[in-house]
């Protein structure tokens, strides 16, 4: 054993930090005992303002683990919620011995949990986390319970004790034994009481039963904030965005909360939408905005290269979302503006039209076509996606950069929506189809049965199907001849993934329009 270890230098450092970590967590429970020669324990409780001075004068604890004093029943059958007025447990040690076994764990003050309306999630009583759920559905960890320690986020704890005019007392008991103390340590026996504004503890060094003991016992005080302020008090933050240039050519930034900014427009890179497209379970993107269960932002998603937004509409976003949009904010250029569809809908007040953006137009057209087909034939040409794949339709979008991974994911979605979902069973009814013909071949036979031939359309569909074989693991197969022909057909290269994907969407719309013209008009 080293001298500093025996003297509990590491534990004294914890005491001096008041058990608060740099990332804002407060340790309120610990059970770090190694053996009878090296033991450590931390517990906590609350005291009223009136008890603070008396508690600071002694290092002993007012509440001990397993003896919390809530509730207390006295010999004359007197019931009291707390054993001592002004002293209140924050943690509760629960232990149960029953026929099948034994269990123990630490519970948290129910009043604290109820105050913040904390949501609990975990494997079991000894491994769980309590979360604060904000107005936008985001989870923030407040308490983490583990078998050997419990931590609480200090800002939540401070709000709680502030609103209640109380202090938190974090108690500690550390002890180490060694069979000998080398002379060069120059350690003397002592019984010292250390007191300051935030802690009171005793450090005892002595010989006991032939062993040398270093023992620290005491407590640290966490006081309330000087000003009462709760999470219920609204705190609005508004970011500034680019709205133009001044006379000297410098960018003009205006707050989305400023006055007289109706219909002022600011612009963003198309990549700003990737966050929402990539999480279709939480967000929905259409031609007129982004929506979630917790906010709605009106924006013009009908422009190919950028996203225009009315400055005042950004005010509706949570501050974290404003920051997300701000990093994609771009200066305006000549010719930039709102799409015709967005202008006619949001400014002129006309009924919503079909979107201008090719990805949104394809999705609208796909759904509209499938409904019309079902109305005429009694069955859908494209079968609905499986439940686990429904998010693919929501997340389908034009890619914002020449990224092979994004291209593969979106191109595969188009294949799944069209070729993979062809209703082969219905297409083959009443038609002689040679054995081995599937998918596209059945659609071609269906058209031939109706005296329709569209060779260019089937060239596209077959090349699209061949392309998918090269999309596995987001790399193109050099040995797959059909895939190489498909790449040549689409003119695919490392620098034009965006353009090729839009071409795929355009040809897919042409396919829907062609079938609609031949069968549904």
């Amino acid at each position: 054993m080293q001298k500093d270890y025996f003297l509990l230098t590491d534990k004294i450092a914890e005491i001096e930090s008041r058990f608060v970590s740099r990332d804002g967590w407060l340790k309120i429970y610990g059970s770090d005992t190694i053996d009878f020669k090296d033991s450590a324990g931390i517990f906590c409780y609350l005291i009223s303002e009136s008890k603070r001075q008396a508690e600071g004068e002694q290092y002993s604890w007012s509440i001990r683990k397993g003896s919390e004093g809530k509730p207390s029943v006295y010999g004359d059958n007197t019931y009291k919620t707390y054993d001592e007025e002004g002293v209140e447990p924050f943690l509760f040690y629960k232990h149960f011995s029953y026929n099948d076994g034994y269990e123990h764990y630490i519970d948290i003050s129910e009043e604290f949990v109820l105050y913040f309306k904390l949501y609990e999630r975990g494997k079991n009583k000894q491994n769980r986390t309590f979360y604060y759920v904000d107005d936008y559905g985001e989870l923030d960890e407040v308490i983490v319970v583990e078998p050997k320690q419990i931590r609480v986020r200090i800002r939540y704890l401070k709000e709680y004790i502030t609103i209640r005019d109380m202090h938190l007392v974090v108690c500690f008991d550390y002890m180490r034994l060694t069979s000998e103390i080398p002379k060069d340590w120059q350690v003397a026996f002592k019984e010292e009481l250390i007191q300051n504004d935030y802690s009171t503890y005793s450090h005892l060094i002595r010989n006991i039963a032939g062993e040398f003991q270093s023992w620290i016992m005491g407590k640290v005080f966490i006081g309330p904030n000087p000003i009462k302020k709760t999470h219920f008090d609204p705190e609005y933050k508004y970011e500034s965005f680019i709205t133009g240039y001044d006379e000297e050519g410098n960018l003009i930034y205006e707050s989305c909360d400023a006055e007289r900014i109706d219909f002022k427009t600011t612009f963003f890179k198309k990549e700003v939408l990737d966050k929402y497209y990539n999480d279709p379970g939480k967000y929905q993107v259409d031609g007129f905005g982004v929506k979630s269960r917790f906010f709605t932002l009106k924006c013009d998603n009908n422009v190919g290269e950028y996203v225009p937004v009315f400055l005042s509409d950004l005010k509706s976003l949570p501050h974290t979302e404003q920051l997300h949009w701000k990093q994609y904010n771009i200066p305006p250029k000549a010719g930039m503006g709102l799409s015709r569809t967005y202008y006619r809908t949001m400014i002129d007040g006309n009924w919503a039209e079909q979107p201008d953006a090719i990805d949104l137009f394809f999705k609208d057209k796909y759904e509209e076509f499938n409904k019309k087909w079902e109305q005429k034939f009694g069955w859908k040409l494209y079968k609905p996606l499986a439940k686990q794949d429904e998010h693919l339709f929501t997340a389908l979008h034009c890619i914002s950069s020449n990224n092979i991974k994004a291209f593969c994911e979106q191109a595969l979605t188009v294949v799944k929506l069209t070729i993979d979902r062809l209703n082969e069973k219905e297409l083959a009814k009443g038609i002689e189809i040679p054995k081995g013909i599937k998918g596209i071949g059945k659609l071609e036979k269906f058209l031939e049965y109706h005296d329709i031939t569209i060779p260019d359309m089937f060239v596209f569909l077959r090349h699209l199907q061949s392309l998918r074989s090269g999309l596995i693991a987001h790399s193109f197969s050099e040995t797959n001849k059909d895939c190489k022909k498909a790449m040549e057909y689409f003119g695919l290269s490392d620098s034009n993934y965006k353009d090729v994907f839009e071409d795929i969407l355009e040809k897919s719309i042409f396919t829907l329009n062609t079938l609609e013209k031949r069968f549904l008009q």
Side-chain angles (χ1 to χ4, degrees):
M1 184 179 290
Q2 299 296 316
K3 175 182 177 181
D4 284 345
Y5 192 77
F6 173 73
L7 294 177
L8 295 160
T9 304
D10 55 329
K11 300 302 182 184
I12 293 172
E14 277 192 336
I15 295 167
E16 291 176 350
S17 73
R18 304 174 74 183
F19 301 101
V20 178
S21 64
R22 291 183 179 179
D23 56 357
W25 287 93
L26 169 65
K27 187 176 181 180
I28 57 173
Y29 173 78
S31 179
D32 303 324
T33 298
I34 297 173
D35 53 36
F36 76 95
K37 288 191 172 186
D38 193 340
S39 64
I42 298 173
F43 205 62
C44 71
Y45 54 90
L46 300 170
I47 58 170
S48 63
E49 180 65 42
S50 62
K51 292 278 186 179
R52 172 62 180 87
Q53 183 176 347
E55 282 278 335
E57 292 173 355
Q58 55 186 359
Y59 65 84
S60 60
W61 306 358
S62 295
I63 290 181
R64 287 188 171 273
K65 175 182 171 183
S67 302
E68 291 85 11
K70 176 182 170 64
S72 293
V73 180
Y74 295 86
D76 59 353
N77 292 330
T78 300
Y79 179 95
K80 292 178 67 176
T81 301
Y82 300 111
D83 183 53
E84 182 180 347
E85 186 177 346
V87 180
E88 182 179 320
F90 190 77
L91 300 178
F92 298 87
Y93 176 66
K94 304 287 185 68
H95 53 96
F96 305 94
S97 182
Y98 44 88
N99 289 335
D100 296 335
Y102 175 84
E103 186 174 1
H104 65 93
Y105 54 86
I106 302 290
D107 256 344
I108 311 299
S109 165
E110 188 66 16
E111 197 159 351
F112 180 80
V113 173
L114 291 172
Y115 176 78
F116 290 107
K117 197 179 177 181
L118 299 182
Y119 164 58
E120 181 182 351
R121 180 192 289 172
K123 298 178 183 177
N124 51 48
K125 286 287 190 178
Q126 294 197 56
N127 295 273
R128 51 192 168 135
T129 302
F130 293 81
Y131 298 91
Y132 175 71
V133 186
D134 69 17
D135 292 340
Y136 304 104
E138 296 297 326
L139 299 180
D140 190 22
E141 290 182 330
V142 178
I143 303 175
V144 176
V145 178
E146 297 171 336
K148 290 188 175 295
Q149 73 167 359
I150 297 174
R151 297 173 295 134
V152 61
R153 189 82 72 176
I154 185 71
R155 65 185 182 92
Y156 287 94
L157 186 281
K158 292 276 279 184
E159 176 182 327
Y160 179 70
I161 61 177
T162 300
I163 206 70
R164 296 197 57 201
D165 296 317
M166 301 192 83
H167 296 252
L168 182 79
V169 182
V170 183
C171 310
F172 46 87
D173 189 337
Y174 304 124
M175 192 273 295
R176 286 172 183 156
L177 295 174
T178 183
S179 56
E180 63 174 346
I181 296 180
K183 289 183 180 180
D184 60 352
W185 283 12
Q186 297 183 341
V187 172
F189 294 163
K190 69 175 181 177
E191 185 172 356
E192 181 182 9
L193 182 65
I194 295 94
Q195 291 178 296
N196 52 47
D197 291 339
Y198 61 85
S199 67
T200 299
Y201 64 94
S202 167
H203 192 177
L204 175 67
I205 299 177
R206 64 182 178 178
N207 185 305
I208 179 170
E211 297 275 1
F212 297 98
Q213 180 190 58
S214 179
W215 180 21
I216 288 178
M217 181 179 180
K219 48 204 176 186
V220 158
F221 300 95
I222 306 294
N225 294 321
I227 300 174
K228 282 191 177 183
K229 187 177 181 182
T230 77
H231 68 290
F232 301 109
D233 301 326
E235 184 178 354
Y236 300 111
K237 294 181 181 179
Y238 301 105
E239 291 297 317
S240 296
F241 298 89
I242 301 168
T243 56
Y245 297 89
D246 63 18
E247 294 178 353
E248 297 179 357
N250 299 313
L251 291 173
I252 298 173
Y253 289 84
E254 294 186 72
S255 170
C256 58
D257 188 41
E259 296 180 358
R260 297 185 296 278
I261 58 172
D262 289 346
F263 303 123
K264 273 193 177 180
T265 307
T266 184
F267 301 92
F268 301 88
K269 294 178 182 178
K270 204 71 175 177
E271 288 95 323
V272 73
L273 298 176
D274 288 349
K275 168 184 175 179
Y276 308 109
Y277 278 121
N278 291 335
D279 199 351
K282 290 176 64 175
Y283 306 104
Q284 179 183 349
V285 183
D286 59 26
F288 301 95
V290 177
K291 302 174 186 176
S292 77
R293 288 190 297 140
F294 306 100
F295 69 84
T296 297
L297 174 67
K298 291 182 286 186
C299 58
D300 186 358
N301 296 328
N302 296 280
V303 185
E305 298 301 320
Y306 54 86
V307 181
V309 183
F310 291 134
L311 180 61
S312 58
D313 288 338
L314 290 159
K315 179 181 176 180
S316 67
L317 288 177
H319 185 246
T320 53
E321 292 299 320
Q322 290 181 34
L323 292 173
H324 167 72
W325 282 77
K326 187 167 185 174
Q327 63 183 320
Y328 294 100
N329 201 194
I330 54 175
K333 295 180 181 179
M336 290 174 70
L338 301 173
S339 68
R340 175 182 176 276
T341 296
Y342 197 78
Y343 187 92
R344 284 177 55 79
T345 303
M346 308 305 292
I347 304 296
D348 292 343
N350 295 320
W351 287 100
E353 302 175 353
Q354 285 187 315
D356 294 339
I358 192 168
D359 50 354
L360 300 172
F361 184 85
F362 167 76
K363 290 197 282 188
D364 271 13
K365 186 68 183 179
Y366 179 88
E367 290 187 312
E368 179 190 357
F369 170 83
N370 226 14
K371 287 178 183 178
K372 288 182 178 180
W373 186 281
E374 186 177 21
Q375 288 170 1
K376 179 167 182 177
F377 292 100
W379 49 274
K380 289 182 171 68
L381 178 61
Y382 301 111
K383 296 181 294 184
L385 287 167
K387 189 72 177 176
Q388 60 268 30
D389 285 338
E390 287 179 352
H391 68 280
L392 295 174
F393 183 82
T394 306
L396 178 64
H397 64 283
C398 286
I399 59 177
S400 54
S401 62
N402 285 311
N403 180 289
I404 184 172
K405 180 176 180 293
F407 173 81
C408 291
E409 290 171 348
Q410 297 306 310
L412 279 170
T413 295
V414 175
V415 173
K416 283 189 175 185
L417 287 170
T418 56
I419 297 170
D420 287 0
R421 302 312 297 167
L422 282 170
N423 199 333
E424 297 186 32
K425 181 179 177 181
E426 295 293 342
L427 286 170
K429 276 186 178 179
I431 304 175
E432 280 193 26
I433 296 181
K435 190 176 180 180
I437 291 184
K438 298 180 180 180
I440 297 172
K442 287 186 179 179
L443 177 62
E444 191 170 28
K445 292 297 181 183
F446 179 83
L447 266 62
E448 290 175 359
Y449 179 79
H450 290 274
D451 298 322
I452 298 172
T453 57
I454 314 172
D456 288 346
M457 185 178 81
F458 285 99
V459 169
F460 160 66
L461 291 174
R462 287 195 167 93
H463 279 308
L464 182 59
Q465 188 176 44
S466 296
L467 190 63
R468 77 167 299 166
S469 65
L471 301 182
I472 298 172
H474 309 302
S475 61
F476 296 106
S477 172
E478 293 295 328
T479 59
N480 188 321
K481 293 181 180 179
D482 288 337
C483 181
K484 291 184 73 173
K485 288 179 182 178
M487 292 169 65
E488 292 172 4
Y489 171 81
F490 288 108
L492 192 64
S493 69
D494 290 340
S495 61
N496 68 350
Y497 294 127
K498 283 178 63 178
D499 294 337
V500 169
F501 181 65
E502 290 184 18
D503 184 47
I504 289 172
L505 286 177
E506 187 176 319
K507 287 181 168 65
S508 297
I509 293 169
F510 170 78
T511 299
L512 297 174
N513 286 336
T514 302
L515 292 173
E516 182 175 348
K517 183 178 179 181
R518 300 299 179 94
F519 286 100
L520 306 179
Q521 292 181 357

